[in-house]
Amino acid sequence: MSSATQEIKRITTHTLQKMKAAGEKISMLTAYDFSFAKIFDEAGLDVLLVGDSASNVMAGHETTLPITLDQMIYHAQSVVRGAKRSLVVADLPFGAYQSNEEIALSSAIRMMKEAGVHALKLEGGIEICSSVKKIVSAGIPVMGHLGLTPQSIYKFGTYAVRAKEEAEAEKLKSDALALQDAGVFAVVLEKIPAALAKEVSQSLHIPSIGIGAGGDCDGQVLVMHDMLGINNEFNPRFVRKYLNLYDDIKDAAQQYISNIKAKDFPNQHESY
Ligand code: KIV
């Protein structure tokens, strides 16, 4: 078979389990639209997360709470159209699953049916396990999310590192095991001490994906706007900026403006 006709093999939740077993790190990045999803998919990202961080970086809200299930479905549909190989995981947003298991399942089914994603992510520990079980028993893969869970920001009161104290660290360890028992295929660990993330990762047979949780997680995730430097006002130590697109895009826009004002754009070659 020529390379042009070779079938692209989709990453699945089983691929991620095998990667953990083989000690191969998992790469995950957020995406919210078709164009970036296509670039990230072609770059070889294992997982694209349609994060409810869309509420912040796409819609300009202060928190992830306002984004609706309909809006998440719109973003997820666009990402799915751009991703041929990456596993696409979408967040169920605040309000779409906390009330009870039936509501959680019907939100999960809407996201799967209308967006065509491959898995869902839900925030929380033992308190959401009955909903996780219900969704998993309908055949829908679920990723967990522990540590700093932005949908609970008003409970925490701050975006500081979580689980530094013994009691919260113990709760996080038992939450991780409870989620694994409930059937999640992976768990995001956000903004917790590296030593705790290492201990949790070693205690689980499912992969852990860290963000601000040190280098011993089985994979890493970042918000695309942070790693591309599109967001110039958010500089926590866990973000590595691979580009400085805020300044680059602003420079490009300013050059475009001055070219227009100077009657230099369009030139003869750019006209019909
Ligand atoms: O919504 C999001 O982008 C996330 C990541 C920070 C893990 O949940």
Side-chain angles (χ1 to χ4, degrees):
M1 204 185 274
S2 80
S3 61
T5 55
Q6 244 167 24
E7 226 179 86
I8 295 168
K9 208 160 174 244
R10 174 81 68 184
I11 302 280
T12 68
T13 59
H14 299 283
T15 321
L16 304 187
Q17 309 277 353
K18 283 192 209 145
M19 288 170 79
K20 170 161 179 141
E24 185 187 340
K25 297 281 188 184
I26 296 162
S27 58
M28 173 160 136
L29 196 55
T30 65
Y32 314 97
D33 70 2
F34 169 79
S35 302
F36 277 104
K38 187 167 181 295
I39 297 170
F40 295 156
D41 183 79
E42 279 180 24
L45 263 300
D46 297 311
V47 186
L48 297 184
L49 172 67
V50 189
D52 59 356
S53 49
S55 180
N56 309 108
V57 297
M58 300 302 288
H61 292 297
E62 242 177 64
T63 73
T64 58
L65 276 69
I67 200 159
T68 64
L69 182 57
D70 284 336
Q71 288 165 338
M72 285 299 295
I73 288 172
Y74 166 78
H75 285 294
Q77 286 168 334
S78 314
V79 170
V80 165
R81 285 193 284 269
K84 292 191 166 68
R85 175 185 166 274
S86 310
L87 180 81
V88 180
V89 181
D91 269 330
L92 280 190
F94 178 69
Y97 62 96
Q98 287 88 351
S99 312
N100 61 48
E101 293 125 51
E102 278 67 38
I103 288 177
L105 180 60
S106 82
S107 300
I109 289 174
R110 274 202 66 201
M111 180 62 90
M112 297 301 288
K113 251 188 182 328
E114 294 177 37
V117 297
H118 312 119
L120 305 175
K121 179 164 79 58
L122 274 64
E123 295 182 6
I126 288 161
E127 65 284 359
I128 63 154
C129 277
S130 56
S131 293
V132 169
K133 281 184 195 157
K134 186 102 181 159
I135 297 171
V136 171
S137 68
I140 301 170
V142 175
M143 180 181 274
H145 185 156
L146 294 170
L148 178 63
T149 45
Q151 291 178 13
S152 305
I153 188 57
Y154 291 121
K155 185 174 90 181
F156 300 145
T158 140
Y159 286 100
V161 178
R162 302 303 316 171
K164 280 161 95 176
E165 307 302 329
E166 176 81 18
E168 196 179 336
E170 287 306 318
K171 160 107 172 75
L172 190 142
K173 287 190 242 174
S174 51
D175 279 342
L177 290 170
L179 285 170
Q180 177 173 263
D181 288 347
V184 302
F185 68 90
V187 62
V188 167
L189 300 175
E190 180 164 354
K191 223 171 173 189
I192 61 170
L196 174 63
K198 180 178 182 180
E199 193 184 335
V200 171
S201 304
Q202 287 175 346
S203 75
L204 299 175
H205 57 76
I206 55 166
S208 65
I209 314 281
I211 172 164
D216 289 306
C217 294
D218 302 301
Q220 296 292 327
V221 57
L222 283 176
V223 169
M224 57 161 279
H225 288 67
D226 300 340
M227 66 82 78
L228 295 177
I230 297 173
N231 182 356
N232 70 342
E233 284 165 5
F234 185 63
N235 299 297
R237 70 194 266 181
F238 68 82
V239 171
R240 186 176 294 178
K241 289 198 185 204
Y242 289 83
L243 288 173
N244 184 6
L245 281 188
Y246 187 91
D247 288 339
D248 290 351
I249 293 170
K250 192 169 157 193
D251 282 351
Q254 285 174 336
Q255 274 180 47
Y256 174 63
I257 296 166
S258 60
N259 288 169
I260 294 170
K261 303 283 181 195
K263 300 180 182 156
D264 176 45
F265 176 79
N267 62 25
Q268 256 188 332
H269 302 292
E270 290 156 338
S271 307
Y272 297 100

